[in-house]
Amino acid sequence: MGLRELKKEQTRELIADTAWRLFADRGFDRVTVAEVAREAMVAPATVFNYFPTKEDLFFFRLEAYGAHLVEAIHKRPPGEPALDAFRRFLLQPAGLLAQLDAGDPQAVERLRTVHRMIDASPTLQAREQRALSGYADALAALLAQESGAAAEDVRARVAANAMMGVQRALIDFVRRRILDDDRPDRLAADVRRLGKRAFALLAEGLGDYAAKPPND
């Protein structure tokens, strides 16, 4: 990385870190881009050069996870099903959950701060759903390309949305648990346990799942 690129990356990190500090202190919806710029000692135009929207400031690091996920599926070994690669990536210890699992006492509060801000902001909730939909679209395009699917073949999109559905469900599970303060010490282990059950359901197929029981 050249000096110019390094300075640009340092500026990006400074702006993002400043925004996160303000968001954590006051909530996402109560902070303006002008305030972020003032605290970071840059012009508002500079903030928008790096982050086109305020939501980009919040999801700067979180959205990188989705790009890494699709890349991991693309780089899986020859012959490995996409579901196996997706499961391995999603259930491997990473981020704040990994820090929580390792006993980091600050991880609980950082994780709670992230989910509290999203839970309190319809704007962030909408952006989160758009991001997850975008990952599903990217994954579907990859699967369709690799399988040589015809334009009218919807299986790649169905498969991608089914796999991303596991991630959506686990995000919702983590949010409920961490905001309810319900055994955060067990959270990472419970995510792995429930994730394995969810992926087993996909691997086995939905044909016999949730058959309606007979009347009493």
Side-chain angles (χ1 to χ4, degrees), residues 110-190:
R110 289 198 295 268
L111 193 61
R112 187 171 289 132
T113 296
V114 170
H115 286 285
R116 184 183 294 121
M117 283 193 284
I118 296 175
D119 188 64
S121 173
T123 301
L124 290 180
Q125 292 171 28
R127 176 57 182 270
E128 181 181 55
Q129 292 306 310
R130 288 199 301 272
L132 292 173
S133 294
Y135 306 154
D137 290 343
L139 180 56
L142 172 65
L143 298 179
Q145 178 184 9
E146 291 182 346
S147 62
E152 68 274 12
D153 191 339
V154 300
R155 287 178 296 176
R157 183 165 294 278
V158 170
N161 279 280
M163 286 186 275
M164 288 302 303
V166 176
Q167 185 177 29
R168 290 174 188 261
L170 292 179
I171 289 172
D172 290 343
F173 172 77
V174 168
R175 187 160 300 153
R176 292 195 305 270
R177 279 280 298 270
I178 201 68
L179 294 182
D180 289 343
D181 200 22
D182 184 9
R183 291 298 304 273
D185 58 309
R186 288 286 308 162
L187 182 56
D190 287 342

Side-chain angles (χ1 to χ4, degrees), residues 34-84:
E35 290 173 310
V36 173
R38 184 166 58 250
E39 286 289 325
M41 293 186 290
V42 299
T46 301
V47 176
F48 285 118
N49 284 340
Y50 288 97
F51 303 97
T53 70
K54 192 172 78 165
E55 292 87 347
D56 291 326
L57 285 165
F58 184 89
F59 284 106
F60 169 52
R61 293 182 178 87
L62 298 180
E63 287 190 341
Y65 182 85
H68 294 324
L69 188 155
V70 175
E71 182 181 13
I73 306 303
H74 177 60
K75 292 184 176 180
R76 69 191 186 280
E80 182 178 48
L83 180 63
D84 291 351

Side-chain angles (χ1 to χ4, degrees), residues 204-209:
E204 294 166 3
L206 297 174
D208 296 328
Y209 176 68

